[in-house]
Amino acid sequence: MVSAQVVWAKALPVLQEEMTPTSYKTWVKDIKPISIEGNTLILMAQNELYLSTLRQFYTNIVTECVNKANGTNYAVSFIVKEEAEPAVSVPVQGSAEKGVFYGVQPKYTFDTFVTGESNRFAHAAAVAVADNPASAYNPLYIYGGSGLGKTHILHAIGNYVHELHPEFNICFVSSEDFTNDVIAAIKYDTREELRRKYRNLDLLLVDDIQFIGGKEATEMEFFNTFNALHGSNKQIVITSDKSPKDLPLLQDRLKTRFAWGITADIKPPEVETRVAILKGKAERDNIDISNDALLYMAEQFSANVRELECCYNRVVLYADFSKRASIDRSFVEIVLKDYVSSEGKHMVTPDLIKQVTADYFDITVDDLVSTRRDKRIAVPRHVAMYLCRTLTNISYPDIGKAFGGKHYSTVMYSCDQIASEIGQRLDISTAIDDITNRLTNDLTVMPDKERA
Ligand code: ADP
Ligand code: MG
């Protein structure tokens, strides 16, 4: 009989192929094959933190790849080391791990970030910090309204520093994910692991810090993390929707610390910047579009770059459907007029839901209907399936078909999962609200009839 080691060794290259490099490196690379019991391949995760994520999000893809690679039909089961062994407390300091690069999205760089009066200072501060981590401004705190490029800048800092210092340990985390890590660490008593993850960093990028306010254990852990990193001269960058003093739920001691470094706000971009953002996108997408057309779009959407991009995507999509080689102002006007004249609610269809959900989460529709199981894709897919179920009267099997031929039980499971998470996860409930809003009211969403 083949050994678990052989089976796993064959599966690894297939997994590497099927997963994003970050997911592979973070979740799969360090799994240890243990044994084959009957028809089940037993795999060991590093600790409870990994275990819960692997079970929840990676069982399917791991099972698929193991069987694909070996021509077998194994089930896969994840375990952690028996508690019988004395729990060795990992020293927080002195972990030799180098070059950890976690959570940063490569596509958001300084190259693609357009500057103008509205964001010049924040951009300059971000570049200064990226050039000289922990010596320019620490922490750097960037705040501003939704869709103005805070997350983009945060990733850009990560990418820049990673390129300059590949040996640096860098982590991008949303405050939501940080909170989940803290909860898991408390639940499974793996606080040492948590500390090792966050306190051996050279650069910590925390997105949307406002959401940790009022969560006592998380705030405490963040406070200690902050002190440990700051105290050992490591860079911290934070984004938020408000200035530190205006964060209602946050403890004063954190607010004080946020003001130790430098605080920079981002305002809605001026029309020239909006045009330049669109122009940059069109150039990268190789789209032939007139300056007039860009200006017209930029004039319609002033307060939020995300919405502006959404409008641009519609126009490009529409041009693609109608097989247009170039886009001029009158074409954009027609497209926008169609939104306006569609009055009230659009016909919501799975195609439209997929498109708007993909836009919202910044992934592609192809990702959404793919078999990828990493969280970045799987969560949006669950959300889109849930919306199909609640906003249309299409059956589970038909929703499955609309998502690349998934089994109806998968769809049911996804919908149930989202339904149970709505009340518990702010990111999920916000996503559902926002997407539903865009689908039913937002004029930047193209009505379905025009897509045919
Ligand atoms: P926030 O985090 O402030 O809500 P994001 O960083 O997610 O906003 O930005 C929303 C979208 O707008 C992203 O696709 C981002 O790339 C784009 N964007 C925002 N500001 C700019 C800018 N100045 N230049 C280029 N793209 C931008
Ligand atoms: Mg953001």
Side-chain angles (χ1 to χ4, degrees):
M1 192 177 155
V2 289
S3 73
Q5 284 71 22
V6 170
V7 169
W8 186 240
K10 283 191 189 167
L12 278 175
V14 180
L15 280 156
Q16 195 164 12
E17 182 114 308
E18 294 286 322
M19 301 176 74
T20 62
T22 314
S23 306
Y24 176 80
K25 193 169 153 215
T26 313
W27 300 110
V28 169
K29 205 176 97 282
D30 297 324
I31 292 174
K32 301 256 177 310
I34 300 299
S35 61
I36 296 172
E37 314 281 337
N39 195 35
T40 304
L41 173 66
I42 311 286
L43 299 170
M44 187 173 80
Q46 293 99 301
N47 59 46
E48 297 275 359
L49 268 177
Y50 285 85
L51 181 71
S52 61
T53 305
L54 285 169
R55 282 189 177 156
Q56 190 173 358
F57 295 108
Y58 293 97
T59 303
N60 287 343
I61 189 162
V62 169
T63 310
E64 254 171 41
C65 292
V66 162
N67 290 322
K68 188 169 155 193
N70 292 279
T72 48
N73 197 17
Y74 291 122
V76 162
S77 178
F78 293 103
I79 57 160
V80 281
K81 220 182 253 161
E82 285 297 324
E83 284 306 327
E85 280 186 43
V88 187
S89 156
V90 189
V92 170
Q93 297 297 322
S95 155
E97 213 165 1
K98 283 271 162 264
V100 172
F101 189 47
Y102 182 90
V104 179
Q105 287 187 33
K107 75 170 191 174
Y108 293 120
T109 61
F110 284 127
D111 289 347
T112 56
F113 191 82
V114 177
T115 56
E117 277 318 308
S118 56
N119 58 27
R120 201 178 304 289
F121 182 64
H123 175 263
V127 173
V129 159
D131 263 331
N132 287 299
S135 46
Y137 312 113
N138 202 11
L140 167 61
Y141 183 103
I142 300 175
Y143 70 95
S146 172
L148 298 183
K150 302 182 296 294
T151 301
H152 186 139
I153 289 195
L154 205 55
H155 284 294
I157 296 174
N159 284 310
Y160 191 97
V161 174
H162 178 60
E163 209 173 300
L164 235 55
H165 306 278
E167 77 286 4
F168 271 24
N169 291 339
I170 300 173
C171 174
F172 175 105
V173 69
S174 65
S175 63
E176 196 75 33
D177 284 344
F178 186 80
T179 305
N180 290 338
D181 277 359
V182 173
I183 292 168
I186 294 169
K187 188 165 166 193
Y188 299 112
D189 198 15
T190 51
R191 266 167 276 200
E192 286 298 331
E193 296 290 335
L194 180 84
R195 280 164 202 169
R196 202 170 51 162
K197 174 172 170 186
Y198 286 106
R199 296 189 195 177
N200 282 312
L201 295 171
D202 299 288
L203 172 63
L204 173 62
L205 307 159
V206 186
D207 205 13
D208 289 324
I209 194 79
Q210 69 271 18
F211 294 129
I212 73 162
K215 295 172 181 151
E216 219 173 289
T218 308
E219 268 193 65
M220 167 77 92
E221 190 59 44
F222 186 76
F223 178 75
N224 291 329
T225 304
F226 185 101
N227 289 340
L229 290 176
H230 198 275
S232 46
N233 212 23
K234 306 298 186 189
Q235 180 72 48
I236 303 153
V237 186
I238 296 162
T239 71
S240 168
D241 64 343
K242 295 190 187 65
S243 78
K245 68 174 173 30
D246 293 331
L247 285 173
L249 297 170
L250 215 70
Q251 296 169 6
D252 285 341
R253 57 183 190 170
L254 266 177
K255 295 185 192 181
T256 315
R257 275 165 178 73
F258 292 167
W260 277 355
I262 197 163
T263 301
D265 69 334
I266 303 189
K267 298 207 166 56
E270 314 70 33
V271 70
E272 297 82 3
T273 311
R274 303 202 297 274
V275 171
I277 290 171
L278 290 176
K279 214 179 172 104
K281 280 186 78 65
E283 270 166 25
R284 285 193 297 279
D285 296 346
N286 220 346
I287 301 288
D288 182 4
I289 180 163
S290 76
N291 288 337
D292 242 21
L294 295 176
L295 180 62
Y296 184 74
M297 269 191 261
E299 281 167 347
Q300 312 300 312
F301 300 91
S302 58
N304 182 324
V305 180
R306 195 178 289 118
E307 278 170 15
L308 182 65
E309 284 189 339
C310 203
C311 161
Y312 163 91
N313 289 342
R314 298 293 139 241
V315 169
V316 169
L317 198 67
Y318 195 95
D320 191 41
F321 276 126
S322 52
K323 307 236 175 314
R324 264 180 182 257
S326 66
I327 301 172
D328 57 14
R329 177 178 167 134
S330 62
F331 179 75
V332 176
E333 276 180 26
I334 291 168
V335 176
L336 291 186
K337 191 164 129 290
D338 282 345
Y339 304 151
V340 178
S341 67
S342 71
E343 278 174 10
K345 300 202 183 306
H346 310 307
M347 256 283 281
V348 176
T349 64
D351 272 350
L352 196 60
I353 292 173
K354 283 189 285 187
Q355 181 64 54
V356 176
T357 307
D359 279 353
Y360 178 88
F361 285 103
D362 230 346
I363 60 174
T364 64
V365 172
D366 283 347
D367 289 334
L368 210 58
V369 303
S370 71
T371 51
R372 286 174 55 184
R373 301 296 210 290
D374 45 307
K375 204 169 153 188
R376 197 172 81 79
I377 307 297
V379 172
R381 182 182 304 130
H382 292 178
V383 166
M385 287 176 169
Y386 172 85
L387 288 169
C388 284
R389 187 63 192 168
T390 50
L391 298 178
T392 73
N393 46 16
I394 294 170
S395 66
Y396 286 126
D398 283 342
I399 296 174
K401 277 184 210 146
F403 283 80
K406 307 256 178 329
H407 195 257
Y408 76 89
S409 59
T410 307
V411 181
M412 281 171 77
Y413 169 79
S414 305
C415 293
D416 286 352
Q417 179 138 346
I418 294 297
S420 70
E421 279 174 343
I422 280 183
Q424 292 162 24
R425 284 184 52 178
L426 191 64
D427 58 334
I428 300 278
S429 57
T430 313
I432 301 275
D433 282 354
D434 270 19
I435 296 168
T436 307
N437 208 17
R438 284 187 206 177
L439 284 165
T440 49
N441 301 316
D442 192 336
L443 301 179
T444 59
V445 171
M446 184 170 58
D448 189 64
K449 62 184 162 60
E450 268 102 44
R451 314 177 112 235

